[in-house]
Amino acid sequence: MNPVKLTDTPFLKKLQMFSFALIGIGAIGTAVAFFTDAQRALAGYVVAFSYVFGLGVTGMFFSALQYAVRAGWSAAVRRIAELFAESIWLIIVGFLPIIFGMKQLFPWAWENPAQWTGGGEGYHGHSLHLIHEKQQDFLNPEFFYVRVVLYILIWVAMYFVIVRNSIKQDNLPNDFRGTRINLKRSAPFIILYALSTTFAGFDLLMSLETTWFSTMFGVYFFSGNFVATLSLVGIILAALQRGGYLKNYLRGEHFHDIGRLMFAFSIFFAYIAFSQYMLIWYSNIPEETEYFLKRINGGWEYFGYFTVFFHFVVPFFLLLRQDVKRKTGFIIVGGLIILTAHFIDLSWVVLPVFSKHLRFGYQEICTFSLMMGLFLFFVASGFRKYSAVAVNDPYIKESLEYSA
Amino acid sequence: MSNNQPFAILGNFTDVNVLFHAAEKTRDAGYQDFDIYTPYPVHGLDKAMGVKRTILPHISFWGGIVGLISAVLLMWWTGAVDYKLSIGGKPFFAVEFGMPVMFELTILLTALATFFALWGLCKLPRWYNELQHDAGFQRATDDQFVMAIFSTDQRFSTENTRKFLSEIGADDVRSVNSGAI
């Protein structure tokens, strides 16, 4: 089958224009925010960067997962997730602002963590000093650099093996070497993905709250990323289907499956988020409750309520019915709700560290807009260069004919 | 025993494509009370037969709602009304610690409602089936597809239904009497 190139289609033009608009608005807002309050802009940047690298890396995980389980249905939809990984260069460069702004962001980056300024007077618990001494072996700038390099190496390797092998096949009919390699390599890469995103979540998000720790945090970060990735895949597929670009490849069955995954993983996210909350609520230990105390006071509680409703309750009832999951309109609406809720959720994790009272304005939205615009720009450049469907995948025929 | 009225008329098919078209023709001819027995799941056959979507999901949903409400009432009434015990200074009732029980009971009653509703909708348990002694019918567990049009259907008439089944490509068209052993 011939590759499905979207070059010069209205869809691609719209996507590019949209990404340029986001970048334009975001760049101006971020610059203004950075020169007025650098720390606040960096905090917003951590949210935006975590969001974007979550989408990009989890796109690769989605593809590796399809190889690992030998999934037939997903051959026609897998490529969209793979193209998210085109943002790999953005992810690598994206670590730089965090490294340069380390002393602004992380208390542990200081010799004496009490020197860290943020969040207001006496903001960190009195136990900061004691805990910091025990954490120093892990949370210190040098080891942080080593870990960042390791994450980047893992993700670049994953990109060059999983994504590249899949893309190479587009122009090589009846040559299944790429698939054979990916079938073998996907499982080890899933393990590496699990470790790298868990620890990246610890480093970028959880260590902001230096004295607080949760063993659930890695899977909490993953579950949010995964459902956001599925939602974006669903939205792009639905847009492509509505434009009539993938008429020969997609049917209601594919949207049904994507919708089911979105539904299932929004429940999974709620399950994980609540498990983390309930154990801390019940044991009621000061160094653990500090995290939630900040987040259910000072106006931040509305972010929590928003997450509960729009990350779980609304998607649950919206995507419950079988016929609804097959309609592109509902996939788009559900996906946008989940993507928004994921942004609010990450903001709820990060921003209360830097401000006791609700502080959310153009600064946070503009850094997010900038990073999301750059991400979509890389995805659009992927669509320009590569086929939108893995047309020579050995499973593609199964994907076209299967029924759920 | 109704005289001369058989329980059902059976026809066997060997080709799945012929079966598909036969199912569509039977549906379009207006038959509603008919069934097809296949040795393996044939995707899309339910659409070809015009089978209505099951109400099972709705029963599951309301089973889950009942489970959720009963869990809330159970936790609230036992903890905060009937027998108050202060444990570790925790409130007598709170959504936080009630949630695991709500979750479990929602799932449990969803599962039980689904399980028993499925049995009911499938008319199980059933110890005897009129078709089970028909030698041709037993091929449905091996290598052939069997279509049965039941005499309870409004359009059923022994002569015409037999003719109809032959026309749509069934082999070995035959009547099965109820209680015939």
Side-chain angles (χ1 to χ4, degrees):
Chain A
M1 281 185 266
N2 293 322
V4 189
K5 284 267 176 76
L6 297 176
T7 325
D8 298 326
T9 55
F11 168 79
L12 190 63
K13 287 211 177 97
K14 268 185 213 158
L15 186 62
Q16 277 170 332
M17 287 314 293
F18 183 55
S19 73
F20 287 139
L22 284 180
I23 294 172
I25 298 165
I28 297 166
T30 309
V32 174
F34 186 77
F35 287 110
T36 45
D37 185 348
Q39 192 181 40
R40 183 172 176 183
L42 275 167
Y45 180 79
V46 171
V47 178
F49 176 66
S50 307
Y51 196 98
V52 162
F53 100 74
L55 287 177
V57 178
T58 311
M60 293 197 276
F61 161 72
F62 180 78
S63 173
L65 184 65
Q66 307 310 317
Y67 279 111
V69 300
R70 272 70 166 160
W73 73 272
S74 58
V77 307
R78 204 186 62 219
R79 176 57 50 80
I80 311 293
E82 282 166 356
L83 291 180
F84 291 177
E86 285 297 305
S87 63
I88 186 79
W89 312 116
L90 172 71
I91 295 170
I92 295 171
V93 178
F95 273 108
L96 289 177
I98 289 174
I99 286 172
F100 287 125
M102 204 159 59
K103 292 221 158 180
Q104 298 275 320
L105 289 170
F106 305 109
W108 51 260
W110 296 80
E111 203 61 23
N112 169 14
Q115 284 175 295
W116 179 77
T117 51
E121 196 69 21
Y123 199 47
H124 268 288
H126 51 85
S127 53
L128 181 66
H129 219 81
L130 279 174
I131 290 174
H132 179 70
E133 268 171 33
K134 305 218 169 182
Q135 286 177 334
Q136 249 171 354
D137 294 336
F138 188 81
L139 289 178
N140 60 62
E142 290 74 27
F143 193 30
F144 179 76
Y145 302 143
V146 173
R147 273 172 293 164
V148 167
V149 170
L150 272 177
Y151 304 148
I152 289 173
L153 284 179
I154 289 172
W155 297 338
V156 168
M158 200 164 171
Y159 174 74
F160 276 104
V161 176
I162 304 285
V163 180
R164 281 284 152 180
N165 272 325
S166 172
I167 286 174
K168 247 188 270 170
Q169 242 176 21
D170 288 349
N171 301 315
L172 303 168
N174 300 319
D175 180 351
F176 301 139
R177 270 174 305 174
T179 302
R180 283 210 191 92
I181 296 171
N182 276 2
L183 290 178
K184 276 186 208 148
R185 296 283 175 269
S186 52
F189 269 120
I190 287 175
I191 296 170
L192 288 174
Y193 162 83
L195 290 172
S196 60
T197 47
T198 300
F199 278 88
F202 289 167
D203 283 345
L204 294 180
L205 303 174
M206 199 172 86
S207 78
L208 290 165
E209 200 80 66
T210 310
T211 52
W212 179 77
F213 33 84
S214 158
T215 47
M216 285 299 250
F217 200 84
V219 67
Y220 175 74
F221 185 50
F222 160 76
S223 58
N225 283 339
F226 194 54
V227 69
T229 306
L230 289 167
S231 304
L232 193 57
V233 170
I235 290 171
I236 291 179
L237 280 176
L240 286 171
Q241 180 76 336
R242 290 187 150 212
Y245 300 105
L246 298 179
K247 280 245 150 68
N248 300 329
Y249 295 95
L250 294 182
R251 288 173 302 128
E253 312 282 343
H254 296 104
F255 289 102
H256 190 180
D257 281 355
I258 287 283
R260 265 196 291 220
L261 284 171
M262 280 159 65
F263 175 74
F265 278 88
S266 74
I267 298 173
F268 180 68
F269 171 83
Y271 181 83
I272 296 299
F274 181 75
S275 301
Q276 178 175 283
Y277 175 66
M278 192 198 73
L279 290 178
I280 290 172
W281 182 88
Y282 211 95
S283 63
N284 205 11
I285 302 169
E287 62 258 38
E288 287 180 349
T289 48
E290 133 197 80
Y291 175 85
F292 282 111
L293 267 180
K294 281 178 201 170
R295 281 158 184 76
I296 57 171
N297 283 310
W300 290 115
E301 64 268 30
Y302 299 111
F303 274 50
Y305 299 148
F306 189 94
T307 306
V308 171
F309 277 97
F310 292 97
H311 218 312
F312 169 60
V313 179
V314 173
F316 181 89
F317 286 104
L318 186 71
L319 295 172
L320 186 61
R321 285 181 63 96
Q322 186 199 39
D323 50 350
V324 154
K325 295 191 201 89
R326 290 171 180 254
K327 289 179 186 138
T328 51
F330 279 97
I331 295 286
I332 291 178
V333 172
L336 287 176
I337 289 174
I338 292 175
L339 284 174
T340 315
H342 183 50
F343 172 58
I344 294 296
D345 171 48
L346 284 182
S347 303
W348 187 63
V349 169
V350 173
L351 302 178
V353 178
F354 299 92
S355 167
K356 243 179 190 170
H357 303 288
L358 182 66
R359 192 178 66 172
F360 190 80
Y362 77 92
Q363 290 93 331
E364 284 74 24
I365 292 165
C366 284
T367 38
F368 178 66
S369 156
L370 173 66
M371 290 308 281
M372 204 57 201
L374 287 167
F375 174 78
L376 288 177
F377 170 76
F378 279 97
V379 174
S381 73
F383 275 119
R384 192 165 49 79
K385 278 184 275 183
Y386 309 117
S387 167
V389 178
V391 282
N392 285 322
D393 192 280
Y395 287 110
I396 191 79
K397 232 177 135 62
E398 190 182 332
S399 179
L400 300 185
E401 286 177 359
Y402 94 108
S403 70
Chain B
M1 195 80 226
S2 59
N3 36 347
N4 301 331
Q5 185 86 321
F7 175 72
I9 302 210
L10 265 58
N12 282 31
F13 292 84
T14 43
D15 187 340
V16 72
N17 291 319
V18 178
L19 176 77
F20 248 97
H21 292 302
E24 284 165 357
K25 280 177 197 155
T26 317
R27 174 194 68 194
D28 296 339
Y31 286 105
Q32 292 188 339
D33 205 358
F34 72 105
D35 210 347
I36 295 176
Y37 304 89
T38 61
Y40 56 85
V42 180
H43 285 298
L45 194 59
D46 47 347
K47 257 183 212 154
M49 288 169 67
V51 177
K52 281 200 199 90
R53 201 166 139 64
T54 169
I55 60 159
L56 190 59
H58 296 268
I59 300 173
S60 308
F61 178 78
W62 289 109
I65 295 290
V66 170
L68 180 66
I69 293 170
S70 54
V72 175
L73 290 178
L74 176 76
M75 296 293 290
W76 167 77
W77 187 74
T78 52
V81 178
D82 188 45
Y83 206 87
K84 288 186 188 172
L85 273 179
S86 177
I87 300 165
K90 293 281 180 290
F92 294 112
F93 176 74
V95 178
E96 278 89 348
F97 68 71
M99 196 68 91
V101 176
M102 294 178 206
F103 177 76
E104 300 295 345
L105 267 187
T106 307
I107 304 246
L108 179 69
L109 283 209
T110 310
L112 287 179
T114 312
F115 182 73
F116 288 110
L118 180 69
W119 279 53
L121 292 173
C122 296
K123 300 190 178 76
L124 291 173
R126 198 179 206 185
W127 316 115
Y128 179 78
N129 188 316
E130 274 82 356
L131 303 178
Q132 75 192 35
H133 290 295
D134 184 78
F137 179 71
Q138 287 165 10
R139 298 290 291 273
T141 61
D142 182 15
D143 59 347
Q144 288 191 0
F145 312 95
V146 180
M147 185 190 281
I149 300 181
F150 299 104
S151 57
T152 41
D153 193 283
Q154 290 199 327
R155 296 182 60 85
F156 186 88
S157 90
T158 315
E159 299 288 291
N160 290 339
T161 306
R162 283 186 84 109
K163 215 189 284 168
F164 175 77
L165 266 174
S166 306
E167 272 166 20
I168 60 175
D171 304 324
D172 187 24
V173 177
R174 59 203 182 276
S175 320
V176 175
N177 292 321
S178 80
I181 299 175

